[in-house]
Amino acid sequence: RSIDAILASDVEIVELTATSASVQVTTRIPVVCSVVFGVDQTYGNQSTDLDMAGRAHSEHHAPLRGLEPDTIYHYRLQGTGSDGTFFASEDLTFRTPPAEEDDDDLGDNLATLAAGAQVIDSSSTFGSGATWGPQNAIDDDPRTEWSSATDGNAAFIEIELASTTAIRAVGLWTRTMGSTAQIIEFRVVTEDGVVLGPFTLPDANQLYRFEVEARARVVRFEVVDSSGGNTGAVEVAVFGEAVE
């Protein structure tokens, strides 16, 4: 059936950046919602709603990540009601804006699996671990994320870099579930106890970077303030140069 029959609001593209967006809509009945999207009508990507338990509800907010700047994307909203009825929208489109020029090139993110970094500790993981595990915060893939299990302001993730690094900047892209799970402030603590921050995140739309001066191999990203719940990160980042 057409999803128009159960819509209580227009389908909106919100939080649009050059590399991400979110689909937001309200339905008159509870449905389990997802969005398929891609550069043509074969789609190829799927985003589930922010409800991690996959339950039917009426306020929907599905993040679309890993997008290319200045590109037209096709997407289709779909949902399943409690009686098994499948609803789908027609093909819809939006265009990402061009990428902004970055006058301060900090180089590659050193807190990634590809750069030799590894997670050595974290506060907790939601569920079994594969879907929401802490390695998702260092896989350089914005379509995955680490979620704690309701740690709120107590959430942390500890990363060991490939070598001791002269750190020029740190960054974090917070996950969100709309009204919960969003980090507002975080800090970074090195293995020597040096505290960097706290740093304030304006929103959950992208990775935000903060220039610092430090020398470390182990960095611990700690939540200072949040909206509570399953706090975590889409990505964390460390920029600098190896010194050994």
Side-chain angles (χ1 to χ4, degrees):
R1 292 184 59 184
S2 170
I3 205 166
D4 292 346
I6 61 169
L7 293 185
S9 72
D10 292 336
V11 180
E12 293 184 274
I13 294 293
V14 298
E15 301 162 357
L16 180 62
T17 74
T19 58
S20 66
S22 294
V23 178
Q24 182 172 285
V25 70
T26 302
T27 53
R28 290 201 298 269
I29 64 171
V31 295
V32 177
C33 181
S34 66
V35 176
V36 290
F37 64 99
V39 295
D40 55 36
Q41 291 186 53
T42 61
Y43 304 114
N45 300 282
Q46 183 172 11
S47 173
T48 55
D49 209 345
L50 289 176
D51 183 351
M52 297 169 69
R55 296 167 297 192
H57 54 286
S58 297
E59 300 290 334
H60 308 283
H61 190 104
L64 314 181
R65 298 181 181 137
L67 308 180
E68 293 295 326
D70 197 18
T71 301
I72 294 175
Y73 279 90
H74 293 254
Y75 70 101
R76 186 179 70 219
L77 178 67
Q78 51 196 41
T80 303
S82 57
D83 63 355
T85 302
F86 179 76
F87 301 90
S89 72
E90 62 183 8
D91 180 68
L92 303 167
T93 62
F94 68 94
R95 188 180 197 118
T96 53
E100 296 182 3
E101 293 187 9
D102 190 352
D103 295 330
D104 186 15
D105 184 7
L106 295 170
D108 294 332
N109 179 9
L110 302 180
T112 66
L113 295 169
Q118 60 180 328
V119 177
I120 58 175
D121 197 8
S122 64
S123 54
S124 70
T125 297
F126 178 86
S128 62
T131 303
W132 303 102
Q135 71 279 355
N136 291 338
I138 63 169
D139 63 359
D140 202 26
D141 185 350
R143 295 168 298 182
T144 66
E145 53 191 59
W146 160 60
S147 171
S148 70
T150 68
D151 288 344
N153 292 355
F156 71 86
I157 184 171
E158 193 165 12
I159 312 296
E160 183 178 23
L161 306 176
S163 61
T164 299
T165 300
I167 301 174
R168 298 171 55 202
V170 295
L172 191 146
W173 185 344
T174 177
R175 73 179 305 268
T176 184
M177 293 180 66
S179 60
T180 65
Q182 187 165 322
I183 299 171
I184 298 167
E185 279 190 328
F186 75 99
R187 68 178 189 173
V188 177
V189 183
T190 73
E191 70 265 41
D192 295 325
V194 175
V195 177
L196 309 174
F199 309 104
T200 300
L201 298 170
D203 52 52
N205 299 343
Q206 64 186 56
L207 178 80
Y208 286 98
R209 306 183 304 179
F210 305 89
E211 295 188 10
V212 298
E213 290 186 9
R215 181 186 174 109
R217 181 165 186 172
V218 176
V219 286
R220 178 176 164 125
F221 290 75
E222 300 179 343
V223 177
V224 174
D225 189 26
S226 72
S227 57
N230 298 333
T231 46
V234 177
E235 296 291 326
V236 298
V238 173
F239 302 93
E241 296 82 31
V243 294
E244 68 172 34

